[in-house]
Amino acid sequence: MTTATSTAVSKTDNDYYTFVTGRLMGMRTNRYSWWTHWLELADYFLPRRYKWIITPNQMARGSPINQHIIDDTGTFAARNLAAGLMSGKSSPTARWVKLRFNHYDTTQTSPISLWLAECERLMYLVFQESNFYNSMAQFYYDLVIFGTATMIIYEDHANVINCYNPCLGEYYVDIDGRYWPCVLYREYTMTISAVVDEFGYDNCSATVRSLYDAKSSKSGSNLTKEIIVAHAIEPNDDDREFGIPKRFGYRECYWEWGGSTSPQSGSQMPPAFLRKKGYHEQPQVTGRWDLVSNDPYGRSPAMDALGDQKQLQLETKRKAQAIDKMVNPPLVADVQLKNQPASLLPGGMTYVSGFAQTGKAAIASIYDTKFPISEIVEDLNECKDRIKKCFFNDLFQTASQFETRSNVTAVEWDMRKSESMIMLGPVLERIDYEVLKPAVERVWAIMFRAGMIPPAPPEIQGKELTIDFVSMLAKAQDATQATSIERILGLAGNLAGVDPSVMDNIDIDYTIDKMSSLLNNDPKMIRSPEALAAIRKQRADQQQQAQKAQQAEQLSKGAKTLSETDVGGGQNALQGMLGG
């Protein structure tokens, strides 16, 4: 890690500042069309998760901003899809990641299986004790609405990791030659107090330090003033030397955007950057829902549902207007009623001269306007159904598919839910590849540097592990296979009563190990082959000793019987057998 602390700006900082500010401006230009489209998506689906313009000291951020949403079906549908992804891919209550060494999947107790199980336990503990699951829930919500979401995973002394979810509109994404989203730039606001607390007093500009120092002699309101902070994370693999050692795969920097820390050649100023740091692995995780060619940003289900969502808002407004006109309609009256009292109360009556000559009944209702409310409601329901299908809500409504049945098994339930996940197809594969895998690798690396990973067994030290993601489909398949094994064991047990030799067909040791593996049990449950062999040898020795003791007892009883049997001549049978 390198952090600027000198009072003069180096040429390296000048070059680095020129590079990152120029790249940020270029990424801002490339993002413009997405930026405007995201604003429309935010207006109609999630207005509180979008930054249109990064403006410091904006006092109206708490004002009502839900000005386009009358019917929130789209917001609820997006929330249901995000919740389905959370439970199906990275549930806090289920095992969703599994570490393997090559194809080693036995659950027998061995140094490798015990080490893998302990590493998994510690990783799940880090996930649970930190804000990882909260951040992932927000990540999925951003993903299904905007098509792009990002999360930064930092090391944390208290909870090992700490995750941040930058808001759409704050950040910019770029890709490398493999179309991998490896570049993240952003602009966001921080108060004077937060800047000093996060980056240190000495690394701040003269302006920030003067505002911070004024708290002792003036009002503390200076601490609540905001500035714009710029942030850049990108690969550290080019030939430019920006003060980040080449042993780091990624570099990061923070600077005050448009502030007095902007370096100028030869000037004696505070450091150009609030912080510069290197990382061995990519600290940010960026996921896209669906891609077109080499676009750095993704498409989303909300983009597909935007037209229906707009129609829903407009038609809902028209339905409310129709009902309002039926309840409180515009009126037409005879000119003789001008400036005359009229009653619009229920049961009230207004007298009009010449009313009988109009051809109407002597007494008639003043509300003659009729609107097709039922037709509007039917069309609205169709619109809502299309929005829900755009967000795959019909795939996650497993419970409603069994309303007429009461004998649903757990395996059938899991299989039906797993089929729902299959329908999402490539999206889930991209989540595994772009989101979960780099997140697990980042957390693993942080845990390793923190000394939380126990020493690996000698036979696998220095070798690469495999990360498997345990999907709902895989769980359902394992449960089905376990059920098939139980049926075979039950059949063999029944036949063993007729012919015990039928059990010779089944390898009981392998069957137990396979069942335990399918049920994802702790490897300590199944003894190692060495321990099992020792137990069986001890049991065999005990049985052999018992047989010898039984034979000795039988021989002793036989000898006693022979010694007590008189065969004449003053001899017993035993003496006769021994030759007198």
Side-chain angles (χ1 to χ4, degrees), residues 146-214:
F146 300 106
T148 305
T150 192
M151 176 176 68
I152 306 175
I153 305 176
Y154 283 134
E155 300 181 34
D156 184 76
H157 294 293
N159 298 314
V160 184
I161 63 171
N162 193 19
C163 305
Y164 297 88
N165 294 99
C167 189
L168 259 292
E170 287 183 349
Y171 64 83
Y172 312 85
V173 176
D174 205 356
I175 57 177
D176 59 11
R178 300 180 299 114
Y179 300 165
W180 180 260
C182 59
V183 180
L184 177 70
Y185 277 58
R186 63 179 180 135
E187 305 169 76
Y188 64 104
T189 59
M190 292 184 72
T191 64
I192 298 298
S193 177
V195 170
V196 174
D197 180 67
E198 174 65 20
F199 302 107
Y201 179 85
D202 294 334
N203 291 329
C204 296
S205 66
T207 302
V208 171
R209 284 186 290 183
S210 63
L211 291 172
Y212 185 81
D213 291 338

Side-chain angles (χ1 to χ4, degrees), residues 390-433:
C390 284
F391 286 103
F392 303 94
N393 282 190
D394 54 324
L395 302 181
F396 292 100
Q397 295 174 347
T398 305
S400 61
Q401 299 171 10
F402 296 111
E403 290 180 351
T404 59
R405 295 179 51 190
S406 59
N407 59 339
V408 181
T409 65
V411 174
E412 187 177 2
W413 180 277
D414 290 339
M415 285 295 292
R416 187 65 64 90
K417 294 185 71 175
S418 65
E419 290 176 0
S420 302
M421 301 301 290
I422 291 176
M423 296 300 294
L424 292 174
V427 174
L428 302 183
E429 294 294 330
R430 185 172 293 108
I431 290 176
D432 287 345
Y433 175 68

Side-chain angles (χ1 to χ4, degrees), residues 22 114-115 155 184 207 276 297 436 460 491 566:
L114 292 177
W115 182 77
E155 300 181 34
L184 177 70
T207 302
K276 293 196 300 182
Y297 304 101
L436 298 181
I460 64 172
L491 176 61
D566 188 2

Side-chain angles (χ1 to χ4, degrees), residues 214-288:
K215 70 180 187 298
S216 58
S217 58
K218 298 181 180 179
S219 172
S221 62
N222 287 333
L223 300 180
T224 63
K225 292 183 178 180
E226 294 178 334
I227 63 170
I228 297 179
V229 175
H231 180 204
I233 302 176
E234 57 197 340
N236 192 35
D237 56 358
D238 49 31
D239 296 330
R240 288 177 286 269
E241 180 59 53
F242 292 139
I244 307 296
K246 290 301 180 182
R247 68 177 183 273
F248 293 112
Y250 283 79
R251 61 175 178 254
E252 176 191 61
C253 67
Y254 288 87
W255 72 97
E256 296 177 31
W257 182 255
S260 59
T261 55
S262 303
Q264 299 174 359
S265 179
S267 64
Q268 298 294 321
M269 298 176 59
F273 294 99
L274 295 167
R275 178 188 297 156
K276 293 196 300 182
K277 190 174 182 179
Y279 296 95
H280 292 285
E281 62 281 336
Q282 182 173 324
Q284 86 277 14
V285 175
T286 301
R288 284 84 57 85

Side-chain angles (χ1 to χ4, degrees), residues 318-330 367 369 371:
R318 293 290 184 261
K319 185 191 73 171
Q321 290 174 340
I323 294 175
D324 191 37
K325 289 180 180 180
M326 291 177 64
V327 175
N328 188 21
Y367 296 95
T369 305
F371 294 94

